[in-house]
Structures are given as structure tokens and as C-alpha cells.
Amino acid sequence: MYFSLFNIDDILSVYQFEVTKPSIIIADAENVSVAAQAAAHHHIPKNRIIVLGGDITSKTAAPYQSVNMLIEQGRYLPPIDAYSLKPGAGASKVAFLCFSSGTTGKPKMTLVITRKFDFLKFLKGIKKYRITHLMYAGRSSLILSSLTQDTGLFLLKQYYSHPAAQTADLSSVRYCMIAAAPVTVELTQQLIKKLPNARLGQGYGMTEMCGAVSMWPLSQKIGTVGSGGRLISGTTAKVVKSDGTIAGTGEPGELWVKGNQITLGYYKNEASYDGWYRTGDEVKIDVNGDLFVIDRIKEMIKVKGFQVAPAELEGHLIDHPSVAEVGVIGVPDEYAGELPLAFIVLRQPVADEIRGNPAAVSSLKAEISKFVMDAKSRYKWLDGGIEFVDSIPKNPSGKILRRLLRDRVVRKAGVPKQKL
């Protein structure tokens, strides 16, 4: 019997239902109406929807049973026989299906969980509960929590400028793990100042890896800046160049990994990986074994034969004082092949200041362009342009949905989609 824990409303849920064929849906009280629509679409009866949390007497939850009600009823039912696997069968049985970007055992520490993230409540919670461990995910998913109002490196930056952050009591924090996107040297240094008592570093992993394959060594109080750490015990990796040869020390290529933490494959997919898992990430490993993630290979921008990582430009642009959020893609160019184009969300005071003033808009674009020109090689300049937008599309775990940015270019300019 499969069940789905339903919590988000997006196109992924349709795919997840079709793959798992759930017989029971456990839905958060705030999302039960969305779960009911999905259940009807997949012909799952209402009595198979169970509400997690919330008041069962509320209008949204009234037609359904709650987890608490079932627990209460279960107290009066006879015990059931526990299901046991044959010796060795656990190595090949599916116990849990986890979808990318969407544990077992009792928690080893107290976890503080909120229904919805609120920055001020977050700061107060650290002081009230004397929280010791913070684990922050940037633009992709590894370990979920946050230091700011949402996911993304720009909010790590916003964290320092928020008035409440200047006086917040963070003295209890002893450990801070950052994952999902490289953090710039400047932001790392600021974070060290805010968390002087904490061990601080980054890690790298994917859903297919059941979490992590690398993290900074605990022998270092501060991990190597920009690095996703070093391979964890029992993990083997190789960096493969585009021609199929093995990359040397410091050379970029695709990361291939294997180890007991790698999942068995993709459910109902005969083309699942076997042996080595190809991550699709371009990385390089230095002489000390530190792993540096450059970007997704499919997202790389190819300018006159040179490869430009969107994440590198995004990480730099976010340091500009006017920039709140940014996403970079490549747009077709007859001469260069592709050129970098930056979609930028301005900080609110700046956006208000230049609104309705074309000259100020042009001046700011020129300033931001120069900010890149002064720091990056010629082929990394924003020759594809700069576009100011209200928001950057992201999935629930904070990944930038660059395909939607590319679709925006298609709709605006009529560029053939296959070239993007």
C-alpha cells in the first residue's frame, strides 16, 4: 500500500500521484482542499484523505478524518502482526519514495518546526529555544531550514541588513550547515561574524543520494570557502570530462558517484542508473579533496566556446547593493552562440526610486553591467542584457526555474524555443 503526504500545490503532485498510485492521502489542514481535488482527479474516495494537524471541526477539514482521531480509534483495536522482511531482502525493497526537490528513527535532538517561515519568529525562536543547530538550503534541496524569509542566497544577504538581525541573540548557535548553492566569500565572512561560536561550512548532495555525499570536515571550524566539502566515508567519486576522460586535479567535469547511500534507481524507470550515478553537475576537486560545484551542466551558458556558469554570475550579482534576487540564463546569439542575460529583482527602495524614470533605469543597468565587467572575464559579461522583474520563479525548495525564464524570453521576443 502506498500513501502520499500532500503538502504543496504544483504540477509535480500530479506526476507523483500517477507514479505512486496512492491509496491514502495525508494532507496538511491548510491544503486539504487541494488534496481533495487531486484525489477526485485520481478517483481516490474522500474517506481515504486524512488530515494532519489543524482543527478537524473546521470547515475545510470537516468531511475528513484526522490523524489524531485515527490514533484515538486505534487504541481500541486489536494489535496487528508486524510485517517482517526475509534476511537480506531489505537491500532491494522500496521503503520510501522521495521525489527530487519535492528518515527514519527517533530524532536525536529537539526539532523546532513552524507551519510557515516567518523571519522575526525565526529570530525569536532561536533565543527562546536556545537553538544550537541551523541548516540552510539555498537554491536546491539538501537540508531544509532557513536563515531568512525564503530560500535563496539573496535572502542570506537580506538577513544582515534587517534591523531585527542586528540585535538578535544568536549566541546559542554552535553549528551552521549551508547547502544547495555556493556562498560567496563576503557572505561567509559576514555569517562568521554573526555566528562567532558556531562551526560553519557547506555540504553537497541530492535526493538520489539520500542526502549528502560530501560535507566540510569537522576538523575544520570553518569549511573551505565556496567548497561543498569532502567526500563522506564510503563514497567514491570521479570527475568525467565531456570527452569521457577523467579530469585531473582542479579540472572541471561531471561528477559521478557511488556508495551505499545512493538509491536503487528511479521507480518504474527501466533506464535507471546502474553502478555510477551521474549527477549532471559540473564540479572540480582540488588537491586537498575539496569539492567545488560549478553549476548544472544543462544550465551552462556557452559563449564563443567558453562555458559560463549562471550560478557564478548570480553569486556575484547578489553582492550588488541594489540587487535583491537574480536569475541568469543564456540567450541565442548568431556570433557568440549564447550570451548571458540577467533577470534582476531590485531591493524595494531602489525599485521605488527608479520607477517611471527611464533614464534612472538605464543608468542602473549600466552600473550593474559594469559591476560584472570589473570582476569577470570578457565572455562572462552581461551582453545578453539585464531585465528588471518583480520576482524570480522558483520551485518549493528554492531552485531557480530557469526554464520559465527562458520561456519568458520566447514569449517576449519570439525566439524559437528549441534554441533556448
Side-chain angles (χ1 to χ4, degrees):
M1 176 184 73
Y2 292 107
F3 72 88
S4 285
L5 183 61
F6 196 92
N7 192 43
I8 57 173
D9 177 21
D10 61 24
I11 195 170
L12 286 176
S13 62
V14 176
Y15 167 72
Q16 292 173 3
F17 272 51
E18 291 175 347
V19 169
T20 60
K21 307 293 184 186
S23 56
I24 294 175
I25 302 172
I26 302 177
D28 185 87
E30 292 186 356
N31 298 313
V32 70
S33 60
V34 178
Q37 295 176 23
H41 180 77
H42 292 278
H43 308 293
I44 300 173
K46 287 186 176 181
N47 62 4
R48 289 284 180 165
I49 299 177
I50 301 170
V51 179
L52 180 67
D55 183 1
I56 194 60
T57 62
S58 67
K59 292 182 179 179
T60 56
Y64 314 105
Q65 298 187 84
S66 72
V67 171
N68 290 339
M69 289 175 59
L70 294 178
I71 292 174
E72 184 64 25
Q73 294 171 13
R75 294 173 56 191
Y76 304 100
L77 296 176
I80 62 173
D81 294 330
Y83 176 76
S84 299
L85 293 173
K86 295 180 180 179
S92 60
K93 291 291 184 181
V94 176
F96 178 73
L97 292 176
C98 48
F99 291 86
S100 295
S101 301
T103 62
T104 63
K106 295 181 179 179
K108 304 303 185 295
M109 65 184 72
T110 300
L111 300 180
V112 180
I113 301 174
T114 59
R115 184 178 298 276
K116 185 177 181 180
F117 189 83
D118 180 280
F119 181 50
L120 296 180
K121 288 182 179 178
F122 168 75
L123 293 178
K124 292 178 181 178
I126 292 177
K127 180 178 180 180
K128 179 179 179 180
Y129 299 106
R130 304 304 294 168
I131 292 174
T132 59
H133 288 59
L134 298 176
M135 285 167 275
Y136 169 78
R139 291 179 181 142
S140 63
S141 57
L142 173 58
I143 306 175
L144 297 180
S145 189
S146 183
L147 288 177
T148 52
Q149 302 172 46
D150 197 350
T151 50
L153 291 181
F154 81 100
L155 286 163
L156 188 58
K157 169 186 174 182
Q158 297 288 70
Y159 168 75
Y160 302 111
S161 61
H162 196 291
Q166 306 306 312
T167 57
D169 181 2
L170 306 178
S171 60
S172 63
V173 179
R174 295 186 288 105
Y175 178 95
C176 183
M177 169 79 159
I178 306 172
V183 180
T184 64
V185 174
E186 180 189 47
L187 287 179
T188 301
Q189 292 173 340
Q190 292 184 54
L191 189 55
I192 292 171
K193 292 179 181 178
K194 286 293 180 182
L195 304 172
N197 301 323
R199 291 183 173 274
L200 172 66
Q202 300 186 60
Y204 167 80
M206 298 174 121
T207 303
E208 292 88 345
M209 303 168 184
C210 297
V213 296
S214 69
M215 68 176 295
W216 95 97
L218 295 183
S219 58
Q220 300 176 358
K221 182 179 179 182
I222 307 298
T224 303
V225 176
S227 165
R230 299 174 186 174
L231 296 179
I232 62 176
S233 177
T235 303
T236 305
K238 60 183 177 181
V239 180
V240 182
K241 296 195 290 188
S242 58
D243 60 5
T245 61
I246 302 299
T249 301
E251 284 189 304
E254 183 182 10
L255 178 65
W256 294 27
V257 295
K258 65 179 179 180
N260 290 333
Q261 77 273 44
I262 309 299
T263 55
L264 299 176
Y266 296 111
Y267 187 57
K268 294 183 178 179
N269 185 341
E270 295 181 357
S272 292
Y273 45 89
D274 181 29
W276 290 96
Y277 173 67
R278 299 181 59 172
T279 66
D281 285 329
E282 183 164 71
V283 308
K284 59 183 179 180
I285 299 178
D286 70 8
V287 67
N288 297 316
D290 286 308
L291 173 71
F292 294 83
V293 180
I294 300 171
D295 213 326
R296 296 292 293 170
I297 291 176
K298 291 183 179 179
E299 307 259 303
M300 298 293 284
I301 304 169
K302 297 178 178 61
V303 182
K304 298 180 181 178
F306 294 100
Q307 297 218 104
V308 179
E312 178 188 351
L313 292 178
E314 291 161 358
H316 177 68
L317 285 165
I318 211 63
D319 287 339
H320 190 281
S322 297
V323 176
E325 195 173 1
V326 59
V328 175
I329 64 170
V331 292
D333 179 77
E334 291 185 1
Y335 174 66
E338 287 183 306
L339 294 173
L341 164 64
F343 290 88
I344 292 175
V345 178
L346 296 172
R347 300 189 66 175
Q348 197 58 53
V350 178
D352 293 339
E353 183 179 343
I354 68 171
R355 185 174 289 111
N357 187 337
V361 170
S362 296
S363 177
L364 182 55
K365 286 184 177 180
E367 177 187 321
I368 293 174
S369 290
K370 188 175 185 301
F371 184 70
V372 175
M373 293 164 64
D374 289 345
K376 300 296 179 181
S377 301
R378 177 66 182 87
Y379 61 90
K380 297 180 182 179
W381 293 1
L382 299 177
D383 291 331
I386 295 173
E387 184 172 338
F388 294 144
V389 294
D390 294 329
S391 63
I392 301 296
K394 298 186 293 292
N395 69 3
S397 66
K399 282 183 181 177
I400 294 177
L401 298 176
R402 293 193 180 97
R403 59 180 173 79
L404 297 184
L405 294 177
R406 289 190 286 268
D407 288 346
R408 181 183 179 119
V409 175
V410 171
R411 291 193 302 270
K412 183 176 180 179
V415 179
K417 191 169 183 179
Q418 62 271 22
K419 290 186 178 181
L420 290 174

